[in-house]
Amino acid sequence: MKRKHLNKEITISEICFGGNVFGWTLNEKDSLRMLDELHEQGINFIDTANSYSHWVEGNMGGESERIIGKWFAESNKRQDVVLATKVGGGMVGVEIGLTRQQIIDGIDASLKRLRTDYVDLYYSHHDDLNIGVEEIMGTYQELIQVGKVRTLGASNLSAERLIESNQVAEAKGWTKYIALQPLYNLYDREKFEKEYTEIAKKENIAVMPYFALASGFLSGKYKTKEDLEGSARKMMVEHYLNDRGLNILDALARISKKHNASSAEIAIAWLLHQPTITSPIVSATNATQLRSLVQATKIKLDSEDLYLLEGSSQWK
């Protein structure tokens, strides 16, 4: 697998593995096995959050980080991994927000769960509009200065707050947000392309989109409402079942046949062909799915493929 540069010091794999599955759709044993598989497949970039996976009954948040930390302790592979985690999301017993104290408490708790003394990339998971960007960026700068964080990313921030944050950081001589984690895939294109594409180019921000397969819709598994019956993804996917969504699935199916690949592989390959995209965030629950995702990095789409995909998903 090829490597890309997050900055001059951090080199990442072409795809980033989404750790929200650890402690959710993968139990601890299977999660540890998956982490071994990631290492074997050459995927060195793992994304998690302090809040994963608080939405599961019986969970409180922090489960994903604890599992990754256990793997670090047992495998001694921390130095092989580019690790991203987040602060500012929901956890049982932890108030959502980005005050100075919440950020400081958040990183200390994450480091303890992860059994490491630093994270490579630390995200603002959700913005806190009650807090000024100078307080937020200044607190992050403190963490960088003491070595707990190497660099910064933003997820779910408005374009305006992203720009303001980086302007303040630059004026103060602080580290700016160098990574952005937006919703972006072949279906969900409009918001990113209208609001963030030019910012990413101008600021040289690495873009790591989440829901790269539109919650599984772009795999082609769900084509009718009947396909969703009994699925845990029903609420996340049913709004994609419209004429535009079905046109996208048809285009994916045609191109996947041409390349002897799956629809999911083509959808990931399309993201990797976008000039602003650095490393899509993807997840798998078994080794076969993971190998398929790795295969997507090897697919070369031609101009005809891109024309068909972009035409079927056009939002203008």
Side-chain angles (χ1 to χ4, degrees), residues 165-198:
S165 298
N166 276 1
Q167 287 176 340
V168 167
E170 185 170 15
K172 295 285 187 178
W174 298 339
T175 298
K176 301 194 294 185
Y177 288 127
I178 68 161
L180 175 66
Q181 191 175 127
L183 169 64
Y184 187 53
N185 56 58
L186 194 55
Y187 187 104
D188 298 296
R189 293 175 55 187
E190 184 174 0
K191 184 176 179 65
F192 175 78
E193 292 179 4
K194 284 174 66 175
E195 300 179 21
Y196 295 96
T197 298
E198 292 307 313

Side-chain angles (χ1 to χ4, degrees), residues 13 26 39 41-42 109 125 142 144 148 167 180 182 195 202 223 228 251 255-256:
S13 47
L26 288 175
H39 188 265
Q41 292 290 335
H125 199 168
E142 292 179 43
I144 289 170
K148 294 181 180 180
Q167 287 176 340
L180 175 66
E195 300 179 21
K202 182 179 179 181
K223 297 179 180 178
L228 287 171
I255 296 171
S256 65

